[in-house]
Amino acid sequence: MESLNNGSGFNEVELESFQRQIADRFQDLGSVSSDELLSLPWVRKLLDVFLSCEEEFRGILVNNKGRLMKPPLDRLIADFYERSAKSLDVCNAIRDGLDQIKQWQKLMEIVICALGHCNVNKNNTNKRILGEGQVRRARKALSELAVGLVDDKDSSQPLALRNRSFGRNNNSSNSQSKDQHRLGYFRSLSWNVSRSWSAAKQLQAIGNNMVSPRANEITATNGLAMLVFTMGNVLLFVMWALVAAIPCQDRGLQVHFYMSRQFPWAASILSLHDKIMEESRKKDRKNTSGFLMEIYQIDKCSRSLSELTGSVQFPISEEKEKELRQRVEEMGQVYEAVTAGLEPLEKKVRELFHRIVHSRTEGLDCLGRGHNSE
Protein backbone atom coordinates (compact mmCIF):
# COMPACT_ATOMS: atom_id res chain seq x y z
CA MET A 1 0.00 0.00 0.00
CA GLU A 2 1.20 3.45 -0.85
CA SER A 3 2.35 5.43 2.16
CA LEU A 4 -0.51 7.36 3.73
CA ASN A 5 1.44 9.59 6.05
CA ASN A 6 1.46 13.11 4.68
CA GLY A 7 2.61 14.69 7.92
CA SER A 8 -0.76 15.28 9.53
CA GLY A 9 -3.83 13.44 10.77
CA PHE A 10 -4.42 9.74 10.18
CA ASN A 11 -1.56 7.64 8.85
CA GLU A 12 -0.70 4.14 7.70
CA VAL A 13 0.62 3.04 11.10
CA GLU A 14 -2.68 3.96 12.77
CA LEU A 15 -4.67 2.14 10.08
CA GLU A 16 -2.59 -1.01 10.42
CA SER A 17 -2.86 -0.85 14.20
CA PHE A 18 -6.66 -0.52 14.05
CA GLN A 19 -6.97 -3.40 11.59
CA ARG A 20 -4.62 -5.60 13.59
CA GLN A 21 -6.58 -5.03 16.79
CA ILE A 22 -9.77 -6.08 15.00
CA ALA A 23 -8.02 -9.19 13.68
CA ASP A 24 -6.74 -10.12 17.14
CA ARG A 25 -10.11 -9.58 18.82
CA PHE A 26 -12.03 -11.71 16.33
CA GLN A 27 -9.33 -14.36 16.39
CA ASP A 28 -9.81 -14.51 20.16
CA LEU A 29 -13.58 -14.88 19.67
CA GLY A 30 -12.96 -17.76 17.30
CA SER A 31 -10.50 -19.59 19.55
CA VAL A 32 -13.18 -20.90 21.93
CA SER A 33 -14.51 -24.45 22.05
CA SER A 34 -17.72 -25.44 20.27
CA ASP A 35 -19.47 -25.52 23.66
CA GLU A 36 -18.62 -21.85 24.25
CA LEU A 37 -19.24 -20.58 20.72
CA LEU A 38 -22.61 -18.78 20.43
CA SER A 39 -23.28 -19.08 24.16
CA LEU A 40 -24.79 -16.16 26.07
CA PRO A 41 -21.38 -15.11 27.52
CA TRP A 42 -19.80 -15.42 24.07
CA VAL A 43 -22.43 -13.21 22.42
CA ARG A 44 -21.91 -10.65 25.16
CA LYS A 45 -18.17 -10.76 24.49
CA LEU A 46 -18.87 -10.28 20.76
CA LEU A 47 -20.75 -7.08 21.56
CA ASP A 48 -17.94 -5.93 23.85
CA VAL A 49 -15.56 -6.38 20.92
CA PHE A 50 -17.81 -4.34 18.65
CA LEU A 51 -18.20 -1.56 21.23
CA SER A 52 -14.41 -1.39 21.68
CA CYS A 53 -13.84 -1.24 17.91
CA GLU A 54 -16.55 1.39 17.53
CA GLU A 55 -15.04 3.53 20.29
CA GLU A 56 -11.64 3.51 18.59
CA PHE A 57 -13.25 4.19 15.21
CA ARG A 58 -15.17 7.12 16.65
CA GLY A 59 -12.02 8.50 18.29
CA ILE A 60 -10.13 8.44 15.00
CA LEU A 61 -12.98 10.25 13.24
CA VAL A 62 -13.09 12.90 15.97
CA ASN A 63 -9.36 13.47 15.52
CA ASN A 64 -9.82 13.91 11.77
CA LYS A 65 -12.94 16.08 11.65
CA GLY A 66 -11.49 18.31 8.96
CA ARG A 67 -11.22 15.40 6.52
CA LEU A 68 -14.75 14.07 7.11
CA MET A 69 -16.38 16.90 5.18
CA LYS A 70 -14.34 16.42 2.02
CA PRO A 71 -15.28 14.04 -0.82
CA PRO A 72 -15.20 11.13 -1.14
CA LEU A 73 -15.01 10.61 2.63
CA ASP A 74 -18.18 12.57 3.36
CA ARG A 75 -20.15 10.14 1.19
CA LEU A 76 -18.47 7.07 2.67
CA ILE A 77 -19.16 8.26 6.23
CA ALA A 78 -22.80 9.03 5.39
CA ASP A 79 -23.17 5.54 3.88
CA PHE A 80 -21.71 3.97 7.01
CA TYR A 81 -24.12 5.81 9.28
CA GLU A 82 -27.00 4.75 7.04
CA ARG A 83 -25.94 1.14 7.58
CA SER A 84 -25.67 1.69 11.31
CA ALA A 85 -29.20 3.16 11.37
CA LYS A 86 -30.50 0.02 9.67
CA SER A 87 -28.83 -2.10 12.33
CA LEU A 88 -31.13 -0.58 14.97
CA ASP A 89 -34.00 -2.71 13.71
CA VAL A 90 -31.81 -5.76 14.21
CA CYS A 91 -31.11 -4.66 17.80
CA ASN A 92 -34.85 -4.39 18.43
CA ALA A 93 -35.48 -7.79 16.88
CA ILE A 94 -32.75 -9.31 19.05
CA ARG A 95 -34.29 -7.72 22.13
CA ASP A 96 -37.61 -9.36 21.22
CA GLY A 97 -35.78 -12.65 20.73
CA LEU A 98 -34.33 -12.39 24.23
CA ASP A 99 -37.87 -11.78 25.52
CA GLN A 100 -38.89 -14.99 23.79
CA ILE A 101 -36.11 -16.88 25.56
CA LYS A 102 -37.44 -15.47 28.84
CA GLN A 103 -40.78 -17.11 28.06
CA TRP A 104 -39.03 -20.42 27.53
CA GLN A 105 -37.24 -19.87 30.82
CA LYS A 106 -40.63 -19.59 32.57
CA LEU A 107 -41.75 -22.83 30.96
CA MET A 108 -38.57 -24.51 32.17
CA GLU A 109 -39.32 -23.29 35.68
CA ILE A 110 -42.80 -24.83 35.48
CA VAL A 111 -41.27 -28.18 34.48
CA ILE A 112 -38.67 -28.05 37.23
CA CYS A 113 -41.27 -27.18 39.86
CA ALA A 114 -43.78 -29.76 38.65
CA LEU A 115 -41.30 -32.62 38.67
CA GLY A 116 -40.00 -32.04 42.16
CA HIS A 117 -37.79 -28.95 42.41
CA CYS A 118 -40.13 -26.20 43.49
CA ASN A 119 -37.39 -23.88 44.77
CA VAL A 120 -35.36 -23.54 41.58
CA ASN A 121 -33.08 -20.90 43.06
CA LYS A 122 -32.54 -22.57 46.44
CA ASN A 123 -31.23 -25.84 47.74
CA ASN A 124 -34.26 -27.97 48.53
CA THR A 125 -33.65 -31.45 49.91
CA ASN A 126 -37.34 -32.28 50.41
CA LYS A 127 -38.57 -35.00 48.08
CA ARG A 128 -42.12 -35.86 47.14
CA ILE A 129 -43.81 -38.60 45.20
CA LEU A 130 -44.71 -37.50 41.69
CA GLY A 131 -48.41 -37.56 40.86
CA GLU A 132 -50.31 -37.56 37.60
CA GLY A 133 -51.23 -33.88 37.94
CA GLN A 134 -47.63 -32.79 38.25
CA VAL A 135 -46.56 -34.86 35.25
CA ARG A 136 -49.43 -33.50 33.16
CA ARG A 137 -48.41 -29.96 34.05
CA ALA A 138 -44.81 -30.69 33.04
CA ARG A 139 -45.95 -32.28 29.78
CA LYS A 140 -48.00 -29.21 28.89
CA ALA A 141 -45.04 -26.88 29.51
CA LEU A 142 -42.72 -29.18 27.56
CA SER A 143 -45.18 -29.22 24.66
CA GLU A 144 -45.22 -25.41 24.57
CA LEU A 145 -41.43 -25.39 24.69
CA ALA A 146 -41.23 -27.79 21.74
CA VAL A 147 -43.47 -25.55 19.63
CA GLY A 148 -41.55 -22.39 20.52
CA LEU A 149 -38.11 -23.84 19.84
CA VAL A 150 -38.88 -24.79 16.24
CA ASP A 151 -37.86 -22.24 13.61
CA ASP A 152 -41.25 -21.57 12.04
CA LYS A 153 -40.84 -18.88 9.40
CA ASP A 154 -44.61 -18.51 9.14
CA SER A 155 -45.05 -17.88 12.84
CA SER A 156 -46.31 -14.44 13.80
CA GLN A 157 -45.56 -14.90 17.50
CA PRO A 158 -42.90 -12.18 17.81
CA LEU A 159 -44.66 -9.70 15.53
CA ALA A 160 -46.92 -8.29 18.21
CA LEU A 161 -43.84 -7.26 20.14
CA ARG A 162 -41.99 -5.54 17.33
CA ASN A 163 -43.30 -2.03 17.85
CA ARG A 164 -41.04 -1.08 20.72
CA SER A 165 -37.56 0.33 20.96
CA PHE A 166 -34.93 0.43 23.68
CA GLY A 167 -35.38 4.13 24.29
CA ARG A 168 -39.12 4.39 24.07
CA ASN A 169 -39.94 3.73 27.73
CA ASN A 170 -36.70 5.12 29.08
CA ASN A 171 -37.09 8.51 30.76
CA SER A 172 -34.00 8.24 32.91
CA SER A 173 -32.33 11.43 31.74
CA ASN A 174 -33.02 14.71 29.98
CA SER A 175 -30.18 14.08 27.54
CA GLN A 176 -31.74 10.84 26.36
CA SER A 177 -35.13 12.49 25.88
CA LYS A 178 -33.43 15.24 23.85
CA ASP A 179 -31.74 12.61 21.70
CA GLN A 180 -35.09 10.90 21.13
CA HIS A 181 -36.69 14.21 20.18
CA ARG A 182 -34.00 14.90 17.61
CA LEU A 183 -33.93 11.43 16.10
CA GLY A 184 -37.25 11.25 14.32
CA TYR A 185 -35.49 9.28 11.62
CA PHE A 186 -34.81 6.49 14.09
CA ARG A 187 -38.47 6.33 15.04
CA SER A 188 -39.37 5.36 11.47
CA LEU A 189 -36.64 2.73 11.40
CA SER A 190 -36.84 1.19 14.83
CA TRP A 191 -40.05 2.07 16.63
CA ASN A 192 -42.67 0.78 14.21
CA VAL A 193 -41.35 -2.15 12.20
CA SER A 194 -43.98 -3.63 9.89
CA ARG A 195 -45.26 -7.17 10.00
CA SER A 196 -43.40 -7.88 6.78
CA TRP A 197 -40.05 -7.04 8.40
CA SER A 198 -37.34 -9.60 7.69
CA ALA A 199 -34.03 -10.06 9.50
CA ALA A 200 -32.56 -11.63 6.36
CA LYS A 201 -33.55 -8.66 4.18
CA GLN A 202 -32.35 -6.20 6.80
CA LEU A 203 -28.91 -7.81 6.83
CA GLN A 204 -28.83 -7.58 3.04
CA ALA A 205 -29.75 -3.90 3.28
CA ILE A 206 -26.92 -3.27 5.77
CA GLY A 207 -24.40 -4.89 3.43
CA ASN A 208 -25.81 -3.46 0.20
CA ASN A 209 -23.19 -1.77 -2.03
CA MET A 210 -20.42 -2.26 0.53
CA VAL A 211 -17.35 -2.45 -1.68
CA SER A 212 -13.67 -2.05 -1.00
CA PRO A 213 -12.49 1.53 -1.60
CA ARG A 214 -10.46 2.18 -4.71
CA ALA A 215 -6.78 3.10 -4.49
CA ASN A 216 -7.47 6.74 -5.36
CA GLU A 217 -10.11 6.95 -2.59
CA ILE A 218 -7.67 5.53 -0.06
CA THR A 219 -5.04 8.05 -1.11
CA ALA A 220 -7.46 11.00 -1.22
CA THR A 221 -8.72 10.24 2.30
CA ASN A 222 -5.30 9.45 3.75
CA GLY A 223 -6.47 5.89 4.51
CA LEU A 224 -9.70 6.83 6.28
CA ALA A 225 -11.76 5.26 3.46
CA MET A 226 -10.28 1.89 4.40
CA LEU A 227 -11.05 2.56 8.06
CA VAL A 228 -14.73 3.17 7.24
CA PHE A 229 -14.88 0.06 5.04
CA THR A 230 -13.34 -2.03 7.81
CA MET A 231 -15.82 -0.80 10.40
CA GLY A 232 -18.72 -1.39 8.01
CA ASN A 233 -17.73 -5.04 7.69
CA VAL A 234 -17.41 -5.38 11.47
CA LEU A 235 -20.92 -3.93 11.87
CA LEU A 236 -22.38 -6.29 9.26
CA PHE A 237 -20.72 -9.36 10.76
CA VAL A 238 -21.83 -8.59 14.31
CA MET A 239 -25.44 -8.07 13.20
CA TRP A 240 -25.28 -11.30 11.21
CA ALA A 241 -23.93 -13.21 14.22
CA LEU A 242 -26.71 -11.82 16.44
CA VAL A 243 -29.34 -12.97 13.95
CA ALA A 244 -27.67 -16.39 13.77
CA ALA A 245 -27.73 -16.81 17.55
CA ILE A 246 -30.98 -15.22 18.74
CA PRO A 247 -34.56 -15.96 17.58
CA CYS A 248 -35.96 -13.21 15.36
CA GLN A 249 -38.41 -12.72 12.53
CA ASP A 250 -37.48 -14.33 9.20
CA ARG A 251 -33.93 -15.30 10.08
CA GLY A 252 -31.57 -15.87 7.20
CA LEU A 253 -27.81 -16.35 7.12
CA GLN A 254 -27.11 -16.11 3.38
CA VAL A 255 -25.25 -12.81 3.52
CA HIS A 256 -22.28 -12.02 1.29
CA PHE A 257 -19.31 -10.45 3.05
CA TYR A 258 -17.40 -8.11 0.77
CA MET A 259 -13.93 -8.75 2.10
CA SER A 260 -10.75 -10.07 0.60
CA ARG A 261 -8.39 -12.13 2.70
CA GLN A 262 -5.68 -9.61 1.88
CA PHE A 263 -7.11 -7.38 4.63
CA PRO A 264 -5.44 -8.08 7.99
CA TRP A 265 -8.80 -8.62 9.75
CA ALA A 266 -10.57 -10.63 7.05
CA ALA A 267 -9.15 -14.08 7.85
CA SER A 268 -10.24 -14.03 11.51
CA ILE A 269 -13.77 -12.79 10.69
CA LEU A 270 -14.24 -15.25 7.81
CA SER A 271 -12.94 -18.10 9.96
CA LEU A 272 -15.48 -17.22 12.65
CA HIS A 273 -18.19 -17.01 9.98
CA ASP A 274 -17.28 -20.51 8.80
CA LYS A 275 -17.45 -21.90 12.36
CA ILE A 276 -20.92 -20.44 12.92
CA MET A 277 -22.11 -21.81 9.56
CA GLU A 278 -20.70 -25.20 10.52
CA GLU A 279 -22.79 -25.14 13.71
CA SER A 280 -25.88 -24.22 11.68
CA ARG A 281 -25.45 -27.31 9.50
CA LYS A 282 -25.44 -29.78 12.39
CA LYS A 283 -28.44 -32.10 12.22
CA ASP A 284 -29.66 -31.40 15.74
CA ARG A 285 -29.55 -27.60 15.25
CA LYS A 286 -30.91 -27.12 11.73
CA ASN A 287 -34.52 -26.40 12.65
CA THR A 288 -34.03 -24.48 15.89
CA SER A 289 -35.13 -20.87 16.14
CA GLY A 290 -31.60 -19.72 16.98
CA PHE A 291 -28.12 -21.23 17.22
CA LEU A 292 -27.49 -19.91 20.72
CA MET A 293 -25.87 -22.70 22.70
CA GLU A 294 -28.38 -22.37 25.52
CA ILE A 295 -31.27 -22.81 23.04
CA TYR A 296 -29.68 -26.07 21.91
CA GLN A 297 -29.38 -27.16 25.55
CA ILE A 298 -33.00 -26.23 26.30
CA ASP A 299 -34.11 -28.20 23.25
CA LYS A 300 -32.02 -31.23 24.21
CA CYS A 301 -33.28 -31.29 27.82
CA SER A 302 -36.91 -30.72 26.90
CA ARG A 303 -36.88 -33.50 24.31
CA SER A 304 -35.40 -35.93 26.79
CA LEU A 305 -37.95 -35.02 29.45
CA SER A 306 -40.82 -35.20 26.96
CA GLU A 307 -39.89 -38.75 26.07
CA LEU A 308 -39.62 -39.74 29.72
CA THR A 309 -42.86 -38.12 30.87
CA GLY A 310 -44.65 -39.59 27.86
CA SER A 311 -43.74 -43.12 28.93
CA VAL A 312 -44.53 -42.72 32.65
CA GLN A 313 -47.06 -45.12 34.17
CA PHE A 314 -48.59 -44.75 37.61
CA PRO A 315 -47.79 -45.56 40.24
CA ILE A 316 -44.37 -44.43 39.06
CA SER A 317 -41.49 -46.79 39.71
CA GLU A 318 -38.55 -45.71 41.84
CA GLU A 319 -36.20 -46.26 38.90
CA LYS A 320 -38.28 -44.09 36.55
CA GLU A 321 -38.60 -41.35 39.16
CA LYS A 322 -34.85 -41.37 39.72
CA GLU A 323 -34.29 -41.01 35.97
CA LEU A 324 -36.79 -38.16 35.80
CA ARG A 325 -35.13 -36.30 38.63
CA GLN A 326 -31.75 -36.70 36.95
CA ARG A 327 -33.12 -35.12 33.76
CA VAL A 328 -34.72 -32.35 35.80
CA GLU A 329 -31.34 -31.67 37.42
CA GLU A 330 -29.88 -31.24 33.94
CA MET A 331 -32.64 -28.83 32.99
CA GLY A 332 -32.01 -26.97 36.24
CA GLN A 333 -28.41 -26.41 35.23
CA VAL A 334 -29.50 -25.01 31.87
CA TYR A 335 -32.07 -22.83 33.64
CA GLU A 336 -29.35 -21.39 35.88
CA ALA A 337 -27.09 -20.71 32.89
CA VAL A 338 -29.89 -18.86 31.11
CA THR A 339 -30.73 -16.92 34.27
CA ALA A 340 -27.10 -15.87 34.70
CA GLY A 341 -26.55 -14.83 31.08
CA LEU A 342 -29.80 -13.39 29.80
CA GLU A 343 -30.07 -10.09 31.67
CA PRO A 344 -26.41 -9.06 31.14
CA LEU A 345 -26.79 -9.73 27.42
CA GLU A 346 -30.00 -7.72 27.26
CA LYS A 347 -28.21 -4.79 28.91
CA LYS A 348 -25.36 -5.13 26.43
CA VAL A 349 -27.73 -5.07 23.45
CA ARG A 350 -29.37 -1.97 24.91
CA GLU A 351 -25.93 -0.36 25.25
CA LEU A 352 -25.17 -1.27 21.64
CA PHE A 353 -28.41 0.33 20.47
CA HIS A 354 -27.77 3.62 22.28
CA ARG A 355 -24.12 3.71 21.22
CA ILE A 356 -25.11 3.43 17.56
CA VAL A 357 -27.72 6.17 17.97
CA HIS A 358 -25.36 8.58 19.72
CA SER A 359 -22.39 7.93 17.43
CA ARG A 360 -24.49 8.39 14.32
CA THR A 361 -25.98 11.61 15.64
CA GLU A 362 -22.56 12.96 16.53
CA GLY A 363 -21.10 12.03 13.15
CA LEU A 364 -23.92 13.46 11.08
CA ASP A 365 -23.94 16.66 13.16
CA CYS A 366 -20.27 17.06 12.38
CA LEU A 367 -20.88 16.52 8.64
CA GLY A 368 -23.81 18.95 8.73
CA ARG A 369 -21.83 21.70 10.41
CA GLY A 370 -19.04 21.25 7.92
CA HIS A 371 -21.27 21.55 4.87
CA ASN A 372 -23.14 24.52 6.34
CA SER A 373 -19.90 26.40 6.96
CA GLU A 374 -18.75 26.04 3.37
Side-chain angles (χ1 to χ4, degrees):
M1 181 186 294
E2 183 181 348
S3 177
L4 303 172
N5 191 354
N6 63 1
S8 63
F10 192 61
N11 58 53
E12 186 173 354
V13 174
E14 288 177 287
L15 175 62
E16 290 180 354
S17 175
F18 179 75
Q19 293 188 112
R20 177 48 54 194
Q21 288 183 51
I22 289 176
D24 292 343
R25 286 166 179 164
F26 279 92
Q27 185 174 2
D28 182 52
L29 284 168
S31 65
V32 300
S33 68
S34 59
D35 289 337
E36 295 175 273
L37 184 67
L38 294 174
S39 65
L40 286 168
W42 185 91
V43 176
R44 193 167 71 249
K45 185 176 180 180
L46 172 72
L47 298 190
D48 278 329
V49 165
F50 176 83
L51 290 169
S52 297
C53 294
E54 195 279 336
E55 183 67 23
E56 292 168 16
F57 172 75
R58 179 169 163 265
I60 293 171
L61 294 185
V62 168
N63 291 334
N64 291 269
K65 284 184 178 180
R67 294 183 178 275
L68 305 187
M69 301 164 240
K70 300 176 182 178
L73 192 57
D74 57 347
R75 173 182 55 82
L76 298 175
I77 290 288
D79 287 347
F80 171 78
Y81 285 130
E82 180 68 18
R83 300 181 202 283
S84 69
K86 291 173 181 176
S87 72
L88 297 178
D89 274 346
V90 177
C91 291
N92 281 333
I94 295 305
R95 190 276 319 280
D96 288 340
L98 295 177
D99 282 347
Q100 190 172 346
I101 296 174
K102 286 181 183 178
Q103 298 305 312
W104 299 340
Q105 187 184 19
K106 291 176 182 177
L107 292 171
M108 291 170 65
E109 185 173 351
I110 291 172
V111 174
I112 293 168
C113 288
L115 297 181
H117 291 246
C118 290
N119 296 317
V120 294
N121 293 318
K122 300 178 182 178
N123 292 326
N124 182 21
T125 58
N126 295 327
K127 291 186 178 181
R128 57 181 180 167
I129 298 174
L130 291 176
E132 291 187 48
Q134 291 138 311
V135 172
R136 278 198 302 270
R137 189 176 181 220
R139 282 176 183 165
K140 183 176 185 298
L142 288 167
S143 177
E144 291 181 34
L145 257 179
V147 172
L149 288 165
V150 174
D151 185 14
D152 183 2
K153 293 185 181 298
D154 296 325
S155 173
S156 60
Q157 179 180 359
L159 293 176
L161 297 174
R162 189 155 292 115
N163 61 356
R164 300 177 294 155
S165 176
F166 286 105
R168 192 166 194 178
N169 297 320
N170 189 345
N171 298 316
S172 60
S173 71
N174 291 331
S175 62
Q176 285 184 350
S177 63
K178 288 179 181 178
D179 284 339
Q180 292 166 11
H181 177 72
R182 296 173 65 196
L183 299 177
Y185 180 63
F186 290 130
R187 290 194 182 98
S188 63
L189 280 174
S190 300
W191 284 16
N192 295 286
V193 181
S194 73
R195 289 178 176 270
S196 62
W197 188 86
S198 162
K201 290 180 181 178
Q202 196 73 5
L203 289 174
Q204 291 172 1
I206 294 171
N208 191 35
N209 295 323
M210 189 187 297
V211 295
S212 175
R214 297 185 292 270
N216 64 316
E217 292 177 324
I218 297 174
T219 302
T221 61
N222 208 39
L224 288 168
M226 182 57 68
L227 179 88
V228 176
F229 174 73
T230 300
M231 197 63 209
N233 275 280
V234 171
L235 173 70
L236 176 60
F237 178 81
V238 169
M239 293 300 133
W240 175 85
L242 285 174
V243 169
I246 309 296
C248 55
Q249 187 173 320
D250 190 26
R251 292 167 64 247
L253 303 184
Q254 302 307 314
V255 174
H256 181 68
F257 290 93
Y258 302 87
M259 59 182 79
S260 166
R261 290 187 180 271
Q262 70 181 14
F263 303 129
W265 41 269
S268 57
I269 290 181
L270 290 173
S271 174
L272 191 50
H273 169 270
D274 291 344
K275 288 184 178 181
I276 293 174
M277 289 302 298
E278 185 178 342
E279 290 296 316
S280 75
R281 296 187 190 102
K282 290 183 178 178
K283 184 179 180 180
D284 53 0
R285 303 186 74 170
K286 273 188 175 181
N287 296 321
T288 57
S289 56
F291 300 130
L292 190 75
M293 177 55 65
E294 286 78 2
I295 292 178
Y296 166 70
Q297 293 169 339
I298 292 171
D299 184 50
K300 184 179 178 181
C301 288
S302 62
R303 286 176 184 273
S304 177
L305 273 169
S306 291
E307 291 176 5
L308 275 175
T309 55
S311 63
V312 165
Q313 295 181 346
F314 295 93
I316 189 170
S317 68
E318 184 177 340
E319 181 182 355
K320 182 69 72 174
E321 184 171 357
K322 181 179 179 181
E323 189 176 0
L324 271 172
R325 293 192 186 281
Q326 182 180 345
R327 295 289 182 266
V328 172
E329 287 285 353
E330 293 172 0
M331 179 169 278
Q333 293 173 5
V334 177
Y335 176 92
E336 294 295 343
V338 172
T339 300
L342 205 53
E343 185 175 350
L345 178 56
E346 188 173 27
K347 289 180 179 178
K348 192 62 65 175
V349 175
R350 185 181 299 113
E351 180 184 353
L352 171 67
F353 180 95
H354 286 298
R355 174 73 69 81
I356 291 172
V357 168
H358 297 155
S359 296
R360 183 182 187 276
T361 306
E362 182 181 67
L364 292 183
D365 280 353
C366 179
L367 287 176
R369 284 195 301 269
H371 288 304
N372 291 335
S373 64
E374 291 177 358

